[in-house]
Amino acid sequence: MKKILIVGATSAIAEACARRWAQQGERLFLASRNTAQLQSIAADLSTRGAGSVGFERFDATELETHEGLLQRASQAMGGLDTVLIAHGTLSDQARAQTDMTYALQELNTNGVAVVALMGRVAALLEAQGQGSLAVISSVAGDRGRQSNYVYGSAKSLVTAFASGLRQRLHPKGIGVITVKPGFVDTPMTAHLPKGALWAKPEKVAADICSAIDHKRLEIYTPGFWRLIMFIIKHIPEFVFVKLKL
């Protein structure tokens, strides 16, 4: 029975992961800013067969609360062996270009707060000598693009931090999995037009759970994004600056 902490548990992807784990009888602890939504999700997961479900309100940008969350989650479940970090916001690029206070807020939420929590989780797993940390980054972090470079910069920080953390902890048997979704049809993206490249949260969740089970290092989800981003990353800069991406 896994003992899993999910941060950002009210996001569509995280909730889809939690449902899969609940059906397997895993023990879960949910953390997010929306207490009412947490209560509803926890009740649903209990009916789906979760071994136990705990939850608490948590704002990842309040860095001083990270240690307490990890301690309480571990106490509630009788240990902690898997952590999924899935919190974040979808930045408004146009607003960020004219409102630097907002831009820094988005960088803090999607970047700094994530790596701060990753560092504390890593310390806990290292101290106990086992465990897995999965963090949701994004294909947006693979290369800065004019359409979303504030969000992409934050995700680039997460990706780079996870890469270094993975290399550091790999000899100790601790897994660090970087998850890079493409476009996902969630409430956060409800205002955007959808197309053939869009995935459902359930597909992304299946890929995340499989990656943790099989101790993968980095995944693109759906998988075709690996090829798309390979091409985007290798476009020469003198060509790239002329594109509308």
Side-chain angles (χ1 to χ4, degrees), residues 1-2 21-22 24-28 45-46 48-53:
M1 181 183 294
K2 290 178 183 174
W21 286 323
Q24 296 169 7
E26 316 293 12
R27 306 192 72 176
L28 305 172
L45 296 176
S46 294
R48 291 175 185 270
S52 66
V53 186

Side-chain angles (χ1 to χ4, degrees), residues 220 223-232:
Y220 288 82
F224 58 74
W225 279 100
R226 182 177 296 276
L227 176 59
I228 293 174
M229 296 315 299
F230 177 86
I231 294 170
I232 290 176

Side-chain angles (χ1 to χ4, degrees), residues 90-113:
L90 184 61
S91 306
D92 181 337
Q93 177 63 37
R95 177 183 173 186
Q97 291 170 192
T98 59
D99 183 347
M100 189 49 61
T101 298
Y102 169 74
L104 293 175
Q105 174 186 303
E106 291 298 291
L107 290 169
N108 184 50
T109 299
N110 294 307
V112 174

Side-chain angles (χ1 to χ4, degrees), residues 60 85 87 108-119 135-136 155 158:
I85 300 178
H87 82 269
N108 184 50
T109 299
N110 294 307
V112 174
V114 177
V115 301
L117 183 56
M118 289 172 67
V135 60
I136 296 182
K155 292 302 186 178
V158 172

Side-chain angles (χ1 to χ4, degrees), residues 18 20 24 27 33-34 36 63 74 88 110 117 123 134 141 144 176 180 183 189 199-200 203 207 227 229:
R20 294 180 69 90
Q24 296 169 7
R27 306 192 72 176
R33 291 182 295 183
N34 190 321
L63 305 186
S74 183
N110 294 307
L117 183 56
V176 178
K180 296 182 178 181
F183 302 131
T189 60
K200 294 294 185 182
K203 164 58 179 171
D207 288 345
L227 176 59
M229 296 315 299

Side-chain angles (χ1 to χ4, degrees), residues 7-235:
V7 180
T10 55
S11 76
I13 294 172
E15 185 178 357
C17 288
R19 288 175 177 173
R20 294 180 69 90
W21 286 323
Q23 290 167 353
Q24 296 169 7
E26 316 293 12
R27 306 192 72 176
L28 305 172
F29 195 93
L30 316 177
S32 184
R33 291 182 295 183
N34 190 321
T35 303
Q37 198 172 352
L38 281 173
Q39 291 175 327
S40 175
I41 292 172
D44 175 70
L45 296 176
S46 294
T47 64
R48 291 175 185 270
S52 66
V53 186
F55 64 90
E56 70 171 65
R57 185 194 176 279
F58 174 72
D59 185 339
T61 63
E62 297 170 356
L63 305 186
E64 70 281 0
T65 67
H66 290 186
E67 287 284 358
L69 171 69
L70 297 179
Q71 292 173 3
R72 290 186 292 275
S74 183
Q75 291 170 357
M77 295 185 290
L80 180 60
D81 53 49
T82 304
V83 178
L84 171 62
I85 300 178
H87 82 269
T89 57
L90 184 61
S91 306
D92 181 337
Q93 177 63 37
R95 177 183 173 186
Q97 291 170 192
T98 59
D99 183 347
M100 189 49 61
T101 298
Y102 169 74
L104 293 175
Q105 174 186 303
E106 291 298 291
L107 290 169
N108 184 50
T109 299
N110 294 307
V112 174
V114 177
V115 301
L117 183 56
M118 289 172 67
R120 290 185 171 90
V121 171
L124 183 151
L125 298 181
E126 187 174 17
Q128 67 187 28
Q130 63 87 30
S132 296
L133 164 62
V135 60
I136 296 182
S137 183
S138 172
V139 298
D142 279 8
R143 189 168 190 176
R145 289 171 285 137
Q146 63 178 319
S147 60
N148 65 355
Y149 63 82
V150 169
Y151 178 77
S153 296
K155 292 302 186 178
S156 182
L157 170 60
V158 172
T159 294
F161 192 89
S163 179
L165 199 61
R166 177 164 50 248
Q167 189 177 43
R168 176 189 132 203
L169 297 178
H170 180 74
K172 302 180 181 182
I174 297 167
V176 178
I177 303 103
T178 306
V179 180
K180 296 182 178 181
F183 302 131
V184 185
D185 186 2
T186 70
M188 192 166 65
T189 60
H191 62 290
L192 299 175
K194 308 302 186 290
L197 296 180
W198 286 75
K200 294 294 185 182
E202 291 75 17
K203 164 58 179 171
V204 177
D207 288 345
I208 292 172
C209 295
S210 176
I212 293 172
D213 289 343
H214 293 92
K215 302 185 185 300
R216 297 281 300 279
L217 307 179
E218 177 184 84
I219 65 166
Y220 288 82
T221 173
F224 58 74
W225 279 100
R226 182 177 296 276
L227 176 59
I228 293 174
M229 296 315 299
F230 177 86
I231 294 170
I232 290 176
K233 287 190 294 183
H234 288 85
I235 297 172

